[in-house]
Amino acid sequence: LADAPDLESHIEPLMERSAATYITVAETIRLRYAYVLARRGESAKAAAQVAQAEKVARDRIAAGNQGPGLKIELAAAAVLRKDRQAALDWLERAVEGGYREYAQIELDPILAELRSEPRYRQAIDRMRRDVDAQRARAGERGLLDVTNLFEPTR
């Protein structure tokens, strides 16, 4: 995809419709586009997209949106700006705010830059422990037993 000559014609309409969509990836399409631009060597265009993504996320936070996905967006933006400490700060804030999609983070090509950092590993480990604890509590309450969903009602 990064080498597609018509990449922009596919990505730009998605960026306009998805200012804060975190469905299958941790970041918005705008930030992923910035990542691709940077990999293609288009650093000025990438920087402009990163700045816009940061502005949108910061504006939403300022307006009261405390969703942890916005903090992941800002962590990834900081990585693309080569500010590892800010990226780790935002990652920790996302975890504090309830972000638990550790598998998504571990596969994320932007946040991969942080994998060697102890703070990154601590954040991932905390997410895993929290999810494991949530799963255990749900199991104790019978919430994971789906067999009755498949039995006919009487």
Side-chain angles (χ1 to χ4, degrees), residues 2-140:
D3 297 326
D6 60 343
L7 173 67
E8 287 79 5
S9 67
H10 297 288
I11 298 294
E12 287 174 358
L14 294 173
M15 287 188 302
E16 294 305 317
R17 292 193 310 258
S18 66
T21 301
Y22 307 95
I23 296 172
T24 59
V25 296
E27 306 87 11
T28 59
I29 290 173
R30 180 178 303 283
L31 207 56
R32 283 291 174 112
Y33 177 49
Y35 169 73
V36 170
L37 289 170
R39 287 184 50 111
R40 288 185 359 189
E42 299 181 51
S43 56
K45 284 175 77 173
Q49 294 299 327
V50 169
Q52 182 61 29
E54 283 186 299
K55 180 185 180 330
V56 169
R58 288 180 189 279
D59 287 351
R60 287 177 185 242
I61 290 170
N65 184 335
Q66 294 301 309
L70 293 171
K71 295 170 180 98
I72 293 296
E73 178 86 345
L74 290 168
V79 167
L80 293 175
R81 287 188 294 98
K82 311 266 189 259
D83 188 345
R84 292 170 81 84
Q85 293 311 307
L88 291 164
D89 290 345
W90 281 112
L91 177 61
E92 289 170 346
R93 288 178 191 152
V95 174
E96 288 297 319
Y99 195 86
R100 296 296 180 268
E101 299 291 335
Y102 63 85
Q104 203 174 54
I105 298 298
E106 289 181 309
L107 296 174
D108 190 287
I110 298 172
L111 297 174
E113 295 291 322
L114 303 175
R115 288 183 189 145
S116 65
E117 297 284 345
R119 288 171 63 194
Y120 171 88
R121 189 80 255 146
Q122 290 166 357
I124 295 295
D125 290 346
R126 178 175 173 196
M127 286 185 263
R128 280 185 191 277
R129 283 191 311 272
D130 289 353
V131 169
D132 288 346
Q134 291 168 2
R135 190 175 291 120
R137 285 191 305 272
E140 289 167 5

